Amino acid sequence: MITADDLIGLIRAYNPSTNAEQIAKAYGFCQEMHEGQFRRSGEPYYTHPVAVARILADQHLDDATIITALLHDTIEDTKASFVDVERMFSREVAELVDGVTKLTNLQLSSRVNKQAENFRKLIMATSKDIRVTLVKLADRLHNMRTIRSMTPEKQQQKALETMDIYAPLAGRMGMHWLREELEDLAFQVLNPDGRKSIMRRFIKLQNETGDVVQQIKGDLLEELERAGLEGAEIQGRAKKPYSIWRKMQNKELSFSRLSDIYGFRVIVDHESDCYRVLGLIHQRWRAVPGRFKDYISQPKSNGYRSIHTTVSGRNARRVEVQIRTKSMHQVAEKGAAATWSYRDGARVDNPFALDPSTWISSLTERFSSEGDDGEFLEAFKLEMYTDQVFCFSPKGDVIKLPRGATPIDFAYAIHTRIGAACVSAKVDGIRVPLWTRLRNGQSVQIITAEGQTPPASWIDIVATGRAKTAIRRSLREFDREKFIKLGKEFARVAFENVNKKATDRALKTAAKHYGLPSADELLARLGSSEIAARDVVAELYPNLKVRDTDEVGPAVALMGLEPGQKFTHGVCCNPLPGERIVGIIFKGHGVVIHTIDCPNLLHYETQMDRWLDLHWRDGQHAATHPAQIITTILNGAGVMGRICTLIGDQNANISDIHFLDRKPDYFKLLVELELRDVSQLHMVLTALEADSDVAEVSRHRNPELGRDIDSMNGEWGEIGV
């Protein structure tokens, strides 16, 4: 823990004109106010705000922000008041401290709503001064660095909140280093075994290949020196464990199949040098198609500028190279902090630094009318991801959307009325499915029809908070009576499980707990699966134990079908409980269930009247749901038996094994499983992935199957009452 003099010394190094007296005064006030308070680790509490101030000093921030960091918990946790802080320091500091202070006296309906309301206040304060967010993010970073002193339950809660809100917010602020550290610290708590598995693979790879980073840096340096760019700086490192894990999950790849696990940066003096370096790299190594991005000519919305390219480098290993100037690098590293950074006693004038207050203000105006704190939180979380695509309307207007957005998002971005009436779309003049992911520079034309209303399945397709909010509002209005009727049944069953009745009075009380205006609104949320009935019961009767319920069997696994309606699982995608699903109606046969990303849904894009919005029922599902995995294992004594044991250890049942390929040194297997849900599938894949004798493993799907109703070889089930 650093002293006041140490902290002042750090600040003076970049800001010689700092008000050392005020910094020392804030340090002493912090110690005095937190006297007698201790952290869970046993350390004096004031060491926490001092550590937060140190983090911000390392970012070269101004005196007011450093003082705010030292005082950020005084108004909330000590006898100090807003007036005290204003009198001793300044109005500016007092308002910053108040902006960081959490709501403690607000009566909220649930922990989830409290989190959302606290976040709403943070965003409102941020829209006035971005430094509030910088202090809050530094506060969260230090709490995550010291999270091991918390209880396991608290660690899980804080790690989830960090992964869900604060890490994406840091990314949206352009503070990439902070996002990566927050994600990795949360990853250690949420999935320690997964992180250890990644680290073991790294160590094994380094033992086999040597120090790849230094080798490739040497190759790059040699090329630049030959071209006369001796002043260029080269940085290289292996990517963070969580970044690799996320890529493995998103692309369903094993570690051995990942290519660009090493990243390099070339930092030069001038923008023209960036393109010169790009040419040198592409002359020396072969560029990987589709992996080039020019964020200099088209910067990201948070001000990030750089050239990204991936090349096949030494020993054919793919490496990602980022090329930028020193000014661009400062923004890439500091993000929003760059707008408040000091050097030689003055704020740094960086032409590339963007103050994200404009973005935050526009979103605050857009979502501040949302009465539901949970929807506000979800909508804002969706908007925090930085990757953007720019598309054009037929009139040439530019519409900015998050990466992964669809024509539906495009329609809602123009106007809610157009989004609701959307029936199809043309991209660059070609009709495409509504779930098509838009790319930069595409021209999008929305086709509408009177009387059209958005189906519930759109919620799982769209990527923007604006679209999700509008669709939910439309669905609640259109299907309100249907959802209320369904919600009554859900409530009746849940209340009976604790020997209670879902009376009007009980439902009205529950509605107040959730901040809803009426019991009917609560029932509508229950019927639309936005709120779980068992959570309502737990909120009203926290001390009552819910009766153990029977295992959810195949006949009652789905919600959204009519009693007696026949259904079967699509053999093309084998949907599992926990995955987002839709149903396609086949007259005379019943409903075929598909995952929302099943390619075969493309065939029914123009037949939206055949689509059904379905959900898996809450609870422990029976281990009867089929899934297939393909794995390549070493051909060695006992390997096959151990693989089967690993699968069995996850309580998964092997129904069949097919040998797809036999070689002297390896086997390629298709393993058919019977599982409870998608979480169990991920457990199986993770267990196999961590085994040193497994070269690769992935989930297997076969879109060629299931395109015709006659090819369905599964048994048709019938939904229970």
Side-chain angles (χ1 to χ4, degrees):
M1 202 277 297
I2 64 173
T3 65
D5 289 339
D6 293 334
L7 181 61
I8 292 170
L10 283 173
I11 301 170
R12 273 201 176 124
Y14 66 85
N15 184 10
S17 60
T18 181
N19 191 331
E21 181 182 347
Q22 283 290 87
I23 300 292
K25 184 179 178 181
Y27 192 106
F29 186 73
C30 166
Q31 278 185 304
E32 178 186 351
M33 289 297 99
H34 291 294
E35 181 68 32
Q37 297 178 353
F38 297 89
R39 306 194 80 208
R40 287 185 179 273
S41 62
E43 297 174 295
Y45 188 86
Y46 80 92
T47 60
H48 166 64
V50 170
V52 174
R54 167 67 185 271
I55 292 170
L56 295 170
D58 288 339
Q59 298 300 304
H60 297 182
L61 292 178
D62 64 305
D63 286 358
T65 308
I66 305 296
I67 293 172
T68 299
L70 291 168
L71 308 181
H72 76 270
D73 279 334
T74 53
I75 293 179
E76 178 185 0
D77 295 331
T78 76
K79 61 183 180 181
S81 66
F82 181 96
V83 175
D84 294 332
V85 174
E86 181 182 14
R87 175 173 48 81
M88 294 187 66
F89 300 97
S90 67
R91 178 79 180 184
E92 177 188 22
V93 169
E95 289 181 346
L96 287 172
V97 173
D98 185 59
V100 180
T101 300
K102 298 185 294 292
L103 298 180
T104 53
N105 299 320
L106 188 63
Q107 297 299 314
L108 294 164
S109 57
S110 70
R111 185 178 61 78
V112 174
N113 275 8
K114 186 168 185 176
Q115 179 198 66
E117 183 60 33
N118 287 337
F119 188 65
R120 186 194 288 261
K121 184 187 179 187
L122 169 65
I123 294 304
M124 296 300 180
T126 299
S127 66
K128 299 176 182 177
D129 197 319
I130 196 66
R131 290 174 292 177
V132 170
T133 298
L134 300 180
V135 176
K136 191 66 178 176
L137 289 173
D139 171 58
R140 175 52 60 114
L141 177 60
H142 185 251
N143 281 332
M144 289 302 297
R145 286 174 175 175
T146 57
I147 196 172
R148 292 302 177 186
S149 59
M150 296 182 179
T151 63
E153 294 78 15
K154 199 72 172 178
Q155 288 185 39
Q156 287 286 319
Q157 176 195 332
K158 292 295 182 184
L160 281 170
E161 191 176 65
T162 297
M163 195 71 85
D164 221 18
I165 297 175
Y166 289 97
L169 181 58
R172 191 59 180 84
M173 296 293 103
M175 304 172 75
H176 185 66
W177 71 271
L178 179 56
R179 174 177 183 166
E180 281 196 332
E181 184 171 352
L182 287 173
E183 286 177 337
D184 205 43
L185 290 168
F187 187 40
Q188 290 183 48
V189 174
L190 298 174
N191 193 347
D193 292 338
R195 190 175 187 276
K196 289 176 184 175
S197 172
I198 297 293
M199 297 305 295
R200 285 199 303 268
R201 295 301 179 94
F202 258 130
I203 294 170
K204 181 180 178 183
L205 184 63
Q206 287 177 347
N207 291 336
E208 293 173 352
T209 62
D211 193 345
V212 174
V213 171
Q214 290 303 319
Q215 295 168 6
I216 296 176
K217 280 181 67 176
D219 293 342
L220 286 169
L221 189 60
E222 175 188 334
E223 221 33 62
L224 297 182
E225 288 179 347
R226 185 182 296 133
L229 289 168
E230 297 181 0
E233 178 186 351
I234 300 175
Q235 300 176 351
R237 63 176 177 84
K239 293 187 177 179
K240 293 284 188 181
Y242 178 71
S243 175
I244 293 173
W245 177 265
R246 178 171 54 197
K247 184 172 291 188
M248 288 169 60
Q249 299 302 307
N250 290 345
K251 297 188 176 181
E252 296 186 351
L253 295 175
S254 64
F255 184 92
S256 60
R257 293 185 60 197
L258 286 180
S259 52
D260 50 343
I261 60 176
Y262 298 103
F264 295 85
R265 292 174 187 149
V266 180
I267 303 170
V268 295
D269 292 324
H270 306 291
E271 185 174 314
S272 59
D273 291 336
C274 295
Y275 294 96
R276 188 178 171 196
V277 170
L278 176 67
L280 293 172
I281 291 174
H282 282 186
Q283 285 175 1
R284 170 73 183 268
W285 295 285
R286 180 175 296 176
V288 177
R291 298 297 301 272
F292 171 76
K293 296 175 183 176
D294 186 350
Y295 293 121
I296 294 179
S297 63
Q298 193 174 54
K300 290 188 177 183
S301 56
N302 60 7
Y304 178 87
R305 293 171 185 251
S306 187
I307 293 174
H308 290 196
T309 186
T310 300
V311 297
S312 183
R314 177 184 284 260
N315 298 324
R317 184 174 298 280
R318 288 186 180 184
V319 294
E320 182 185 62
V321 184
Q322 300 172 359
I323 311 165
R324 59 181 72 141
T325 66
K326 292 176 181 177
S327 296
M328 295 173 190
H329 181 64
Q330 184 191 40
V331 173
E333 289 296 292
K334 293 179 178 291
T339 63
W340 286 95
S341 288
Y342 273 64
R343 184 172 61 230
D344 300 330
R347 280 179 66 174
V348 176
D349 183 18
N350 190 316
F352 302 122
L354 292 181
D355 188 340
S357 299
T358 304
W359 163 76
I360 291 176
S361 297
S362 67
L363 288 182
T364 301
E365 292 173 5
R366 190 189 311 168
F367 295 119
S368 60
S369 61
E370 288 297 323
D372 188 306
D373 294 320
E375 288 190 8
F376 173 86
L377 182 61
E378 180 189 3
F380 221 101
K381 279 156 54 178
L382 287 170
E383 298 291 340
M384 280 192 295
Y385 292 88
T386 59
D387 286 342
Q388 302 280 326
V389 293
F390 298 85
C391 296
F392 299 93
S393 72
K395 295 181 179 179
D397 297 327
V398 178
I399 305 296
K400 185 171 65 175
L401 298 164
R403 192 166 300 279
T406 66
I408 305 173
D409 293 294
F410 185 94
Y412 277 104
I414 297 173
H415 197 280
T416 302
R417 178 180 52 79
I418 294 176
C422 172
V423 291
S424 63
K426 289 183 178 180
V427 174
D428 292 336
I430 301 173
R431 191 181 294 269
V432 299
L434 288 176
W435 63 69
T436 300
R437 303 301 172 186
L438 298 175
R439 299 193 305 272
N440 267 324
Q442 291 183 321
S443 177
V444 183
Q445 178 185 354
I446 301 299
I447 301 169
T448 61
E450 289 188 14
Q452 163 73 5
T453 57
S457 59
W458 279 10
I459 292 178
D460 294 326
I461 295 174
V462 297
T464 60
R466 170 182 285 182
K468 283 184 182 290
T469 299
I471 293 167
R472 283 203 180 99
R473 186 180 296 119
S474 176
L475 289 173
R476 281 202 294 269
E477 293 171 358
F478 186 75
D479 289 334
R480 185 174 176 79
E481 290 304 317
K482 170 183 149 185
F483 284 144
I484 288 176
K485 185 177 180 181
L486 192 58
K488 285 180 180 178
E489 183 61 19
F490 289 162
R492 180 188 66 78
V493 173
F495 275 74
E496 285 181 355
N497 280 333
V498 292
N499 295 317
K500 297 289 184 180
K501 289 188 176 181
T503 62
D504 289 342
R505 181 168 183 172
L507 293 174
K508 287 179 181 178
T509 303
K512 288 182 180 178
H513 274 268
Y514 280 89
L516 300 175
S518 66
D520 279 352
E521 182 63 26
L522 174 68
L523 291 173
R525 301 288 179 94
L526 289 173
S528 62
S529 299
E530 294 177 50
I531 298 176
R534 62 173 58 197
D535 290 344
V536 173
V537 173
E539 193 74 41
L540 288 178
Y541 309 108
N543 297 323
L544 292 181
K545 179 176 175 60
V546 179
R547 258 194 344 242
D548 290 336
T549 57
D550 294 334
E551 191 176 64
V552 179
V556 294
L558 294 167
M559 294 189 300
L561 296 175
E562 298 295 333
Q565 192 169 19
K566 293 182 178 180
F567 68 93
T568 189
H569 297 72
V571 294
C572 46
C573 55
N574 284 327
L576 294 172
E579 294 187 292
R580 295 173 176 176
I581 54 173
V582 295
I584 302 298
I585 299 172
F586 287 85
K587 291 182 179 180
H589 292 277
V591 178
V592 178
I593 314 304
H594 293 270
T595 59
I596 193 64
D597 59 350
C598 178
N600 284 336
L601 291 177
L602 175 65
H603 303 292
Y604 313 108
E605 170 64 22
T606 59
Q607 306 171 53
M608 298 304 293
D609 57 320
R610 296 177 61 186
W611 290 53
L612 282 180
D613 183 37
L614 303 177
H615 302 276
W616 295 105
R617 190 175 298 278
D618 290 336
Q620 182 82 7
H621 286 256
T624 59
H625 301 276
Q628 296 177 330
I629 61 173
I630 288 182
T631 181
T632 302
I633 64 174
L634 297 184
N635 182 1
V639 176
M640 174 72 80
R642 188 168 70 258
I643 296 306
C644 294
T645 300
L646 284 173
I647 294 174
D649 287 344
Q650 308 308 316
N651 296 318
N653 181 47
I654 299 175
S655 58
D656 205 353
I657 297 179
H658 305 274
F659 285 83
L660 301 180
D661 198 4
R662 294 174 185 259
K663 299 292 183 183
D665 55 347
Y666 71 85
F667 291 150
K668 188 172 186 180
L669 310 173
L670 174 66
V671 185
E672 297 185 7
L673 305 172
E674 292 180 345
L675 303 172
R676 293 190 310 272
D677 50 34
V678 72
S679 296
Q680 190 179 24
L681 172 63
H682 289 157
M683 290 167 60
V684 170
L685 293 174
T686 301
L688 294 178
E689 177 67 35
D691 190 274
S692 59
D693 288 328
V694 176
E696 58 183 18
V697 61
S698 62
R699 184 178 184 179
H700 177 63
R701 288 169 167 163
N702 191 350
E704 296 302 319
L705 296 176
R707 290 188 174 175
D708 192 285
I709 195 67
D710 295 329
S711 68
M712 296 296 176
N713 54 17
E715 294 185 2
W716 288 83
E718 189 170 293
I719 195 70
V721 179

